[in-house]
Amino acid sequence: MNVLDAKKTHVEYISELLAKHFSQANEFFGYTKYNDSFEVMQKHVSKRINREVEGFSYFVAEDDSGIPVGFVSLLIEQENVGSILALFSEEKEVMKELIVKSVDYFKSMGISNIQGEYFAYENDFKEVLQELGIVEELIAFRLKN
Protein backbone atom coordinates (compact mmCIF):
# COMPACT_ATOMS: atom_id res chain seq x y z
CA MET A 1 0.00 0.00 0.00
CA ASN A 2 1.10 3.51 -0.81
CA VAL A 3 -0.29 6.73 0.73
CA LEU A 4 0.26 9.77 -1.47
CA ASP A 5 -0.96 13.31 -2.11
CA ALA A 6 -4.23 13.23 -4.01
CA LYS A 7 -4.00 14.08 -7.71
CA LYS A 8 -6.50 15.27 -10.30
CA THR A 9 -7.07 11.63 -11.22
CA HIS A 10 -8.44 11.03 -7.70
CA VAL A 11 -11.14 13.74 -7.83
CA GLU A 12 -13.91 11.43 -9.04
CA TYR A 13 -13.01 8.69 -6.53
CA ILE A 14 -12.99 11.10 -3.57
CA SER A 15 -16.15 12.89 -4.74
CA GLU A 16 -18.09 9.64 -5.07
CA LEU A 17 -17.12 8.55 -1.57
CA LEU A 18 -17.96 11.94 -0.07
CA ALA A 19 -21.38 12.00 -1.76
CA LYS A 20 -22.03 8.48 -0.48
CA HIS A 21 -20.83 9.44 3.00
CA PHE A 22 -23.11 12.47 3.24
CA SER A 23 -26.04 10.52 1.81
CA GLN A 24 -25.53 7.86 4.48
CA ALA A 25 -25.34 10.58 7.15
CA ASN A 26 -28.60 12.11 5.89
CA GLU A 27 -30.27 8.69 6.11
CA PHE A 28 -28.93 8.31 9.65
CA PHE A 29 -30.35 11.68 10.70
CA GLY A 30 -33.62 11.13 8.85
CA TYR A 31 -33.44 14.47 7.07
CA THR A 32 -31.16 16.34 4.69
CA LYS A 33 -28.50 17.77 6.97
CA TYR A 34 -25.67 17.67 4.40
CA ASN A 35 -25.46 18.33 0.68
CA ASP A 36 -24.73 14.93 -0.85
CA SER A 37 -24.56 16.00 -4.49
CA PHE A 38 -21.74 14.35 -6.44
CA GLU A 39 -21.42 17.50 -8.58
CA VAL A 40 -20.98 19.71 -5.51
CA MET A 41 -18.41 17.33 -4.05
CA GLN A 42 -16.56 17.21 -7.36
CA LYS A 43 -16.45 21.01 -7.60
CA HIS A 44 -15.03 21.43 -4.08
CA VAL A 45 -12.62 18.49 -4.20
CA SER A 46 -11.26 19.62 -7.57
CA LYS A 47 -10.58 23.14 -6.30
CA ARG A 48 -8.95 21.83 -3.14
CA ILE A 49 -6.72 19.32 -4.91
CA ASN A 50 -5.67 22.01 -7.38
CA ARG A 51 -4.74 24.20 -4.37
CA GLU A 52 -7.27 26.89 -5.36
CA VAL A 53 -8.51 26.86 -1.76
CA GLU A 54 -5.94 27.31 0.99
CA GLY A 55 -5.59 24.97 3.94
CA PHE A 56 -7.05 21.75 2.49
CA SER A 57 -5.11 18.57 1.76
CA TYR A 58 -6.11 15.09 0.63
CA PHE A 59 -4.14 11.88 0.87
CA VAL A 60 -5.13 8.74 -1.01
CA ALA A 61 -4.17 5.19 -0.14
CA GLU A 62 -3.58 2.93 -3.14
CA ASP A 63 -3.07 -0.81 -3.19
CA ASP A 64 -0.04 -2.33 -4.88
CA SER A 65 -1.88 -2.18 -8.24
CA GLY A 66 -2.42 1.58 -7.92
CA ILE A 67 -6.14 1.27 -7.18
CA PRO A 68 -7.47 3.71 -4.54
CA VAL A 69 -8.58 1.97 -1.34
CA GLY A 70 -9.16 4.97 0.91
CA PHE A 71 -8.58 8.65 1.46
CA VAL A 72 -8.41 11.32 4.14
CA SER A 73 -9.36 14.99 3.91
CA LEU A 74 -7.49 17.48 6.09
CA LEU A 75 -7.80 21.16 6.94
CA ILE A 76 -5.41 23.51 8.67
CA GLU A 77 -8.01 25.69 10.37
CA GLN A 78 -5.88 28.22 12.19
CA GLU A 79 -2.50 28.53 13.78
CA ASN A 80 -1.65 25.22 15.44
CA VAL A 81 -5.04 23.56 14.72
CA GLY A 82 -5.53 20.84 12.14
CA SER A 83 -8.66 18.80 11.45
CA ILE A 84 -9.24 15.39 9.96
CA LEU A 85 -12.44 16.21 8.10
CA ALA A 86 -13.22 12.86 6.51
CA LEU A 87 -11.62 9.42 6.42
CA PHE A 88 -12.82 6.57 4.22
CA SER A 89 -11.73 3.00 3.69
CA GLU A 90 -13.27 -0.44 3.93
CA GLU A 91 -10.12 -1.70 5.69
CA LYS A 92 -9.01 -0.85 9.22
CA GLU A 93 -5.31 -1.10 8.33
CA VAL A 94 -5.80 1.47 5.56
CA MET A 95 -7.62 3.77 7.99
CA LYS A 96 -4.75 3.42 10.43
CA GLU A 97 -2.17 4.28 7.74
CA LEU A 98 -4.19 7.34 6.69
CA ILE A 99 -4.44 8.58 10.27
CA VAL A 100 -0.71 8.09 10.85
CA LYS A 101 0.01 9.95 7.58
CA SER A 102 -2.31 12.76 8.70
CA VAL A 103 -0.63 13.11 12.08
CA ASP A 104 2.82 13.10 10.46
CA TYR A 105 1.66 15.73 7.95
CA PHE A 106 0.28 18.02 10.64
CA LYS A 107 3.43 17.63 12.74
CA SER A 108 5.58 18.51 9.71
CA MET A 109 3.52 21.71 9.41
CA GLY A 110 4.19 22.56 13.08
CA ILE A 111 0.67 21.66 14.18
CA SER A 112 0.21 19.84 17.47
CA ASN A 113 -3.55 20.29 18.04
CA ILE A 114 -5.28 17.73 15.84
CA GLN A 115 -9.01 17.10 15.95
CA GLY A 116 -11.74 15.34 14.04
CA GLU A 117 -15.25 13.93 14.19
CA TYR A 118 -16.99 10.74 13.18
CA PHE A 119 -20.59 9.56 13.17
CA ALA A 120 -21.84 7.11 15.82
CA TYR A 121 -22.32 4.41 13.18
CA GLU A 122 -18.66 4.57 12.04
CA ASN A 123 -17.55 1.80 14.39
CA ASP A 124 -14.42 0.80 12.46
CA PHE A 125 -13.18 4.40 12.49
CA LYS A 126 -13.80 4.60 16.25
CA GLU A 127 -11.95 1.32 16.85
CA VAL A 128 -8.92 2.46 14.84
CA LEU A 129 -8.77 5.72 16.80
CA GLN A 130 -8.89 3.78 20.06
CA GLU A 131 -6.15 1.40 18.87
CA LEU A 132 -3.97 4.44 18.19
CA GLY A 133 -4.64 5.81 21.68
CA ILE A 134 -6.71 8.74 20.45
CA VAL A 135 -9.35 9.78 22.99
CA GLU A 136 -12.80 11.28 22.65
CA GLU A 137 -13.22 14.76 24.08
CA LEU A 138 -16.72 15.74 22.97
CA ILE A 139 -19.86 13.69 22.48
CA ALA A 140 -22.74 15.13 20.47
CA PHE A 141 -26.30 13.97 20.95
CA ARG A 142 -29.68 14.32 19.30
CA LEU A 143 -33.18 13.72 20.64
CA LYS A 144 -35.42 11.71 18.31
CA ASN A 145 -39.19 11.95 18.40
Side-chain angles (χ1 to χ4, degrees), residues 46-95:
S46 181
K47 285 182 178 182
R48 292 169 181 173
I49 286 177
N50 290 330
R51 306 286 187 209
E52 294 173 30
V53 181
E54 204 170 308
F56 289 92
S57 295
Y58 291 89
F59 292 106
V60 174
E62 293 182 343
D63 66 13
D64 294 335
S65 303
I67 297 171
V69 292
F71 84 92
V72 65
S73 171
L74 308 176
L75 174 62
I76 297 175
E77 295 194 49
Q78 53 187 301
E79 186 177 323
N80 204 26
V81 178
S83 289
I84 297 174
L85 300 176
L87 174 77
F88 301 99
S89 180
E90 299 282 325
E91 303 171 40
K92 286 184 181 180
E93 279 307 309
V94 174
M95 287 181 178

Side-chain angles (χ1 to χ4, degrees), residues 77-123:
E77 295 194 49
Q78 53 187 301
E79 186 177 323
N80 204 26
V81 178
S83 289
I84 297 174
L85 300 176
L87 174 77
F88 301 99
S89 180
E90 299 282 325
E91 303 171 40
K92 286 184 181 180
E93 279 307 309
V94 174
M95 287 181 178
K96 192 178 291 187
E97 288 294 321
L98 289 166
I99 291 170
V100 169
K101 176 71 172 184
S102 300
V103 170
D104 290 345
Y105 169 76
F106 283 131
K107 286 181 179 179
S108 76
M109 300 296 285
I111 294 172
S112 58
N113 295 307
I114 303 166
Q115 60 191 15
E117 298 175 351
Y118 60 89
F119 291 108
Y121 57 83
E122 294 180 289
N123 295 320

